[in-house]
Each structure stands twice: as C-alpha cells, then as structure tokens.
C-alpha cells in the first residue's frame, strides 16, 4: 500500500551543474524537493518507486543501480538509481526525468529502502496510468513514490511552448489537486489538454493517483512557480 509520495519537477536545470549561472533561480525548488523527500524517508517504506515521463509510448522499468547522465545537457556527470545490488542492471540509461530523480536521491543520501524506476510514456492513456499505479501500490506492504514531472510549458511568451492562456488555469488545478492529495482530480486531468500544453507530468501524476486509491493520504503543496515559463510543482503526500 502507498504510504507516502513526493511530487517533484524534472527539469535538468534542477541540477546546479547543468543550470550553471542560473542555478540560484532554482534554489527554492531544490529546497522544497529536499523537504518532500524527507517525508518519504519518514514513512519508512519497504520499497521506493521513482516514476517519471519518458519518450516511449508505454512503460519501461529500470532496476536499482541503473545509470543515468546529463551528458545530453552538456555536463559530463553521471548518477545512479540507488546503490548497486550485485545483480545485473539495465544496459539502458535512465531517461532524463529519472536521472533528475536519482540526483535528488543521491543529494539527500537516500538509503532507506530498495528502489525501482518506471519511465512512463507521456501519451499513455489515463486508465493505463492508474492501472500501473495500482500494480505499484501492491508491490510491498509499505510503498513510497517519488513522482517526477512538470506542469505546462506555456506560461509565458518565452516558454518552450510559447504563451497559451489555458496554461495558468491548468497549472493552478494541478497544484491544487496535488497539494490536496485529491486522487479523483488527478485522475480527471485532461490528457489531450496536458499534451497540448506540453505538461510532462500528467502520466506520472496519474500513476500516483492509481497507487493512492484507498490509501487515505493527506497532501501539502510545498512549491509552485514557473521561473522559465514552465510550471514546477512540489508536493508531499503522507
């Protein structure tokens, strides 16, 4: 059963070495992510699953110890999804979202439970996302989720998706739903609208909603802003 979740944004800019001179602009988001991961540790889970958007249309799993890097963003820096276990790990690299999650876990010194990674294709239908979440929630007696994903990328004219007047209301509802641990509202997020607004977090958030069914968790919104015209939300469920 799901006992805790942390929702964090997944831009590589969260990593100071990638952000370089712009690093201070993300300090508040990094601090909020640290607080959210503290909620996960306090829950003492038997298993931590890191979920984030990936390019493929379905789902892809990554065992503990899988490597990721930020070389694609101009920084020769590697991360690992938890310590190696002595078993073979995936030859595939972590997708960028899970690499950022692995960086957050390394940064906070996570050593509290075994880790798995799940990359979720951004077009994955809501019902398939929630079903994946139900499977995750049944994997162990006490499951925690680190859910990586961004809200819209259309908040300003300089945003990656330019300005879309639908973006701010969409992001406000995302922040409200995640901050309140409103499972029904997260399930109800419009997949087509999310895709039009380039919101990479929709599918991972709906995986969380599936895992949280029947868990009766409360939420807290720790951060919500759009420093680069992209909506970033940090929330904790416990």
């Amino acid at each position: 059963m799901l006992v805790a979740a942390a929702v964090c944004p997944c831009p590589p800019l969260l990593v100071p070495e990638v952000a370089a001179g712009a690093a201070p602009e993300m300090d508040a988001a990094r601090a909020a992510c640290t607080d959210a991961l503290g909620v996960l540790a306090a829950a003492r889970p038997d298993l931590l699953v890191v979920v984030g958007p990936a390019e493929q249309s379905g789902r892809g799993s990554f065992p503990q110890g899988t490597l990721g890097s930020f070389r694609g963003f101009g920084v020769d820096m590697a991360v690992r999804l938890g310590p190696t276990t002595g078993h073979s790990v995936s030859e595939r690299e972590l997708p960028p979202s899970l690499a950022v999650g692995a960086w957050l876990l390394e940064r906070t010194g996570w050593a509290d439970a075994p880790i798995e990674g799940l990359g979720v294709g951004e077009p994955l239908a809501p019902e398939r996302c929630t079903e994946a979440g139900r499977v995750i929630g049944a994997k162990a007696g006490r499951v925690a989720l680190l859910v990586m994903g961004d809200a819209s990328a259309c908040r300003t004219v300089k945003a990656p998706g330019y300005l879309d007047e639908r973006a701010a209301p969409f992001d406000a509802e995302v922040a409200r739903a995640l901050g309140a641990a409103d499972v029904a509202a997260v399930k109800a997020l419009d997949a087509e609208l999310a895709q039009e607004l380039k919101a990479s977090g929709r599918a991972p958030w709906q995986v969380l909603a599936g895992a949280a069914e029947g868990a009766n968790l409360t939420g807290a919104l720790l951060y919500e802003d759009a420093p680069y015209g992209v909506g970033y939300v940090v929330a904790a469920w416990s």
Side-chain angles (χ1 to χ4, degrees):
M1 175 177 284
L2 187 72
V3 295
V7 177
C8 295
C10 64
L13 287 171
L14 205 60
V15 180
E17 289 84 352
V18 175
E25 297 176 21
M26 295 292 286
D27 280 349
R30 291 186 197 100
C33 289
T34 298
D35 291 343
L37 265 65
V39 172
L40 298 186
R44 297 186 174 278
D46 302 318
L47 174 68
L48 172 67
V49 181
V50 186
V51 182
E55 293 181 359
Q56 75 274 13
S57 59
R59 293 170 289 172
S61 59
F62 298 86
Q64 181 167 321
T66 301
L67 287 168
S69 80
F70 298 103
R71 284 188 291 272
F73 303 93
V75 177
D76 188 14
M77 176 181 174
V79 291
R80 189 181 293 277
L81 188 65
T84 55
T85 61
H87 298 96
S88 60
V89 298
S90 173
E91 294 182 359
R92 296 175 299 151
E93 277 203 351
L94 297 170
S97 66
L98 297 189
V100 175
W103 175 80
L104 285 171
L105 292 167
E106 287 185 359
R107 180 172 181 260
T108 54
W110 180 271
D112 296 83
I115 301 173
E116 295 179 6
L118 179 67
V120 184
E122 292 182 38
L124 194 66
E127 58 271 18
R128 291 187 63 194
C129 294
T130 53
E131 177 55 34
R134 294 185 193 107
V135 172
I136 290 172
K139 276 178 172 277
R142 298 181 63 81
V143 176
L145 283 181
L146 172 55
V147 184
M148 309 300 296
D150 300 337
S152 77
C154 303
R155 290 277 287 272
T156 68
V157 295
K158 293 184 178 180
Y162 196 66
L163 176 64
D164 190 315
E165 293 185 355
R166 300 172 298 173
F170 176 86
D171 288 359
E173 172 58 12
V174 165
R176 187 208 65 77
L178 293 174
D182 187 338
V183 171
V186 175
K187 286 182 180 180
L189 291 174
D190 187 322
E192 184 175 346
L193 177 60
Q195 187 168 13
E196 291 175 1
L197 296 176
K198 304 184 185 301
S200 69
R202 189 276 308 170
W205 299 331
Q206 290 181 327
V207 172
L208 166 61
E213 289 178 350
N216 194 29
L217 302 178
T218 58
L221 183 64
L222 306 181
Y223 176 87
E224 193 277 321
D225 203 354
Y228 303 108
V230 181
Y232 298 144
V233 174
V234 181
W237 294 16
S238 62

